[in-house]
Amino acid sequence: EAGVVQSPRYKIIEKKQPVAFWCNPISGHNTLYWYRQNLGQGPELLIRYENEEAVDDSQLPKDRFSAERLKGVDSTLKIQPAELGDSAVYLCASSLWLGTLNNEQFFGPGTRLTVL
Amino acid sequence: DQQVKQNSPSLSVQEGRISILNCDYTNSMFDYFLWYKKYPAEGPTFLISISSIKDKNEDGRFTVFLNKSAKHLSLHIVPSQPGDSAVYFCAAKNQGGSEKLVFGKGTKLTVNP
């Protein structure tokens, strides 16, 4: 079974440029998460989707970040414009939410963003 | 304010010995705890978890201990193997709340042959 797929794996841009990340979750997983991991830190949740609906986006900087999950499958995370402080690894994870309490989250390899 | 703390950035042990990784939390609403393992250039992978109704959970070489009164948990790896060398993240959540995981900063474990 294929895992969570993310692209690109690496991205280098200049500040003020836009950037987008793509995530394809594990087939059949209805819940998708975007995390940001700064250097030397643990992942921090940016947004969580249940199917197409963003159910928790309280940590998403909405002035420059946006996300969408069309048709409840693939998702894109966009930053426009990027700032130096956005340099981080952006992780996508997915899980199968069946109403049980402890569904495992499976992570993709991440996209490492460097803003110059 | 960090709600999940891993105060040791790194740990080095000899192959065959026990590795003990520690984690403290401050939020008393947390009632489910997980350990993730991360290799370079890969995403975190789930290792083991424990509910607050238990004080120990074991899976092969990995055991997690929970001390609720101290708000402390630990991961024991016995015996340690070179392939265990990775960054280990402690994470916590409130089962009655959202599915949001709160992660610690991680501990880099090095197992020397």
Side-chain angles (χ1 to χ4, degrees):
Chain A
E1 179 182 306
V4 176
V5 179
Q6 291 187 249
S7 69
R9 292 295 310 276
Y10 304 91
K11 188 73 176 179
I12 301 174
I13 61 171
E14 293 187 347
K15 63 180 180 182
K16 300 185 182 179
Q17 294 299 306
V19 65
F21 314 124
W22 175 80
C23 173
N24 178 240
I26 292 174
S27 177
H29 281 191
N30 54 1
T31 305
L32 184 145
Y33 314 75
W34 282 103
Y35 288 85
R36 177 170 59 189
Q37 185 178 11
N38 292 314
L39 187 64
Q41 305 291 317
E44 294 180 333
L45 181 69
L46 292 173
I47 189 169
R48 177 170 72 94
Y49 282 94
E50 287 183 13
N51 299 304
E52 300 95 346
E53 183 182 0
V55 296
D56 183 356
D57 63 355
S58 57
Q59 302 301 310
L60 189 72
K62 298 182 181 64
D63 57 336
R64 297 183 301 107
F65 285 65
S66 65
E68 61 181 7
R69 190 182 185 200
L70 298 176
K71 299 181 180 179
V73 182
D74 294 359
S75 177
T76 56
L77 177 68
K78 299 179 182 178
I79 308 174
Q80 183 171 10
E83 296 179 353
L84 295 176
D86 295 330
S87 295
V89 175
Y90 291 82
L91 293 161
C92 179
S94 70
S95 67
L96 178 59
W97 174 255
L98 296 173
T100 56
L101 296 175
N102 302 314
N103 52 324
E104 180 183 342
Q105 295 182 27
F106 294 83
F107 284 81
T111 296
R112 180 176 294 277
L113 174 66
T114 302
V115 182
L116 303 176
Chain B
D1 178 37
Q2 264 205 303
Q3 298 184 69
V4 177
K5 301 178 183 179
Q6 294 178 258
N7 293 320
S8 298
S10 62
L11 175 67
S12 183
V13 299
Q14 285 299 120
E15 180 178 6
R17 306 296 291 269
I18 185 172
S19 295
I20 300 176
L21 295 93
N22 294 303
C23 177
D24 298 291
Y25 61 96
T26 58
N27 190 337
S28 58
M29 296 299 291
F30 289 149
D31 55 10
Y32 195 74
F33 305 89
L34 308 90
W35 286 93
Y36 279 81
K37 175 180 177 180
K38 186 181 183 303
Y39 292 118
E42 296 183 11
T45 56
F46 170 74
L47 189 59
I48 192 169
S49 63
I50 187 166
S51 167
S52 60
I53 61 174
K54 296 184 176 181
D55 55 16
K56 176 183 175 181
N57 188 27
E58 189 173 355
D59 183 3
R61 296 185 298 114
F62 303 91
T63 303
V64 56
F65 295 92
L66 175 63
N67 182 334
K68 283 184 294 183
S69 61
K71 293 190 176 68
H72 176 83
L73 60 155
S74 61
L75 174 67
H76 292 211
I77 307 174
V78 183
S80 301
Q81 300 174 354
D84 295 329
S85 297
V87 177
Y88 288 79
F89 290 99
C90 173
K93 69 176 181 178
N94 172 13
Q95 293 185 93
S98 73
E99 282 298 295
K100 179 181 177 179
L101 287 178
V102 179
F103 285 83
K105 290 185 176 182
T107 297
K108 183 177 182 179
L109 173 66
T110 303
V111 181
N112 301 302

